[in-house]
Amino acid sequence: MELKYTRKNVYKEADGAELEKIYDFAEGYKHFLDNSKTERDASVEAEKLALENGFKPFSFSEKLKAGDKRYFLNRGKNIFLIKVGKEDVAKDGIRIMVAHVDSPRLDLKPNPMYEEAGLCYLKTHYYGGIKKYQWTAIPLALHGVVMLPGGKKKDVCIGEEDSDPIFYITDLLPHLASEQSQKTLGKAIEGENLNAVVGGLPAVDCGEDEKETVKAAVLNLLNKKYGITEVDFQCSELCFVPAGRARDVGFDGALISAYGHDDKVCAYPEMRAIFDCDSPHTVVAVFADKEEVGSDGTTGMQSKVISDVIETIAHSFNANPIEVRYNSKCISADVTAGYDPTYASVFEKRNSTYISCGAAVSKYTGARGKSSTNDTSAEYMGFIRDVFDKDGVIWQTGELGAIDLGGGGTVAKYIGNLGIDTVDVGVPVLSMHAPYELISKADVYALYKACLAFCK
Ligand code: MN
Ligand code: MN
């Protein structure tokens, strides 16, 4: 019997075959990430993979039976994957795995376009918690949808192919930045300065409005390609995200840098686990929208949709939905702040999670005196520990940084509020919410094994 607890490193514990599995799994993850920059992209990609894995569209009026595999795409921005098991759903409940698929980014304002000094710009309003200075002078891609009058929808994705142009937000040259460099990080780049350059070629024959010839030319291009006019921006959801693909990091390729690990790095292993598991339980995976802005609205985790899905499953078996909820169990998977030795002072090293040390379990999140947290019970932590240990899952536990230096929350509390035992499990990330975040391949794979063990 081990009397002392020692954190394990996934890579150190892995033999050659396991290492190969870890690196293989990462290839599938990177592919998913590259196709999942926004919650819309991620939901559509998940739908595609669900169809390939034998899932069929879900209906709230259908009677499900054991063996059924369904998916519910909620408004194109939030998806539920449902796999019905043999166990009695009233007594056994549902094994629920949750993650979010929205990531911090720059949304377009409703009236975004203007021209000044020979350049055409789009004004943005940032979404989620960003450090604004990180979004200047990097390649950006434009993703989203525009509604045309009459209900026709245009999908937009520009900046991801090598042949595509990218978009660009300027920063001040160091030569003229003596005033700017005296400002605090949060003030050096203001929200109203996050204006992306989208054109520089004046129209030759611009007709009535000779003052804005570049803007006229850009609108002309957009109209030719998408059929949109300037007013259509008011009925759109367009955003700038970092352009480019997920890349291996390090001479050994042990890590991955990419946009949007938070929280696709948890959604992907959950999705693979529901596809791959052969479970007697009914399993539901939920990929939510709006986590970065409070989880409100029709596609956020505070929406009633999850209760409606649970009720539909319960009614299929003439079970009481309340009983089903109370007997359900949930893993709420979201990233946590991995210990970063470069910024050691904001961590408490005995209670931090570490890169490559496995699935990161957080009993509680929150700020100050654990404010606004789903504080998992000792009983449920004990259950999770047994589930993971039985299947050899490498996991660790820690807090998001040292006390009173900040803090953060996840969607766990919204599931907990439904009367469902829920624990935060995720992946440690470095540079969270930066345009390119950093994670370890070992931890994504460890989370996949954790989800498989949970579904079992
Ligand atoms: Mn997150
Ligand atoms: Mn986040």
Side-chain angles (χ1 to χ4, degrees), residues 171-362:
D171 193 359
L172 198 51
L173 60 166
H175 317 63
L176 293 177
S178 56
E179 271 180 15
Q180 185 196 39
S181 56
Q182 300 306 312
K183 294 181 182 173
T184 57
L185 269 183
K187 287 277 177 196
I189 301 287
E190 304 271 3
E192 293 295 354
N193 287 359
L194 295 175
N195 306 315
V197 174
V198 299
L201 191 65
V204 181
D205 175 20
C206 56
E208 73 277 10
D209 190 354
E210 286 184 25
K211 279 189 202 130
E212 298 191 323
T213 56
V214 180
K215 177 175 165 178
V218 169
L219 280 171
N220 193 34
L221 277 175
L222 286 175
N223 190 261
K224 270 193 188 142
K225 187 159 180 185
Y226 298 106
I228 65 177
T229 62
E230 188 174 9
V231 73
D232 295 332
F233 281 119
Q234 296 174 5
C235 302
S236 73
E237 281 181 8
L238 291 168
C239 63
F240 288 112
V241 293
R245 290 164 187 273
R247 301 287 296 268
D248 287 356
V249 172
F251 293 111
D252 50 15
L255 310 156
I256 304 170
S257 178
Y259 166 69
H261 282 313
D262 178 9
D263 186 32
K264 269 81 83 173
V265 75
C266 297
Y268 183 73
E270 288 183 344
M271 181 172 64
R272 282 287 306 272
I274 195 171
F275 292 162
D276 298 347
C277 72
D278 180 19
S279 176
H281 309 292
T282 293
V283 181
V284 171
V286 190
F287 305 141
D289 176 29
K290 295 284 176 283
E291 192 276 343
E292 298 295 356
V293 292
S295 297
D296 294 294
T298 51
T299 50
M301 213 57 235
Q302 295 202 64
S303 152
K304 209 178 155 287
V305 181
I306 185 166
S307 297
D308 295 339
V309 168
I310 293 172
E311 272 182 45
T312 305
I313 295 169
H315 289 146
S316 295
F317 299 94
N318 298 317
N320 180 342
I322 300 172
E323 203 180 349
V324 174
R325 265 196 294 119
Y326 276 65
N327 289 324
S328 292
K329 294 179 172 65
C330 176
I331 277 181
S332 173
D334 203 345
V335 297
T336 185
Y339 179 81
D340 186 341
T342 307
Y343 300 98
S345 66
V346 302
F347 296 93
E348 193 265 277
K349 65 183 182 199
R350 288 173 189 82
N351 284 286
S352 294
T353 56
Y354 288 77
I355 287 289
S356 302
C357 290
V361 180
S362 303

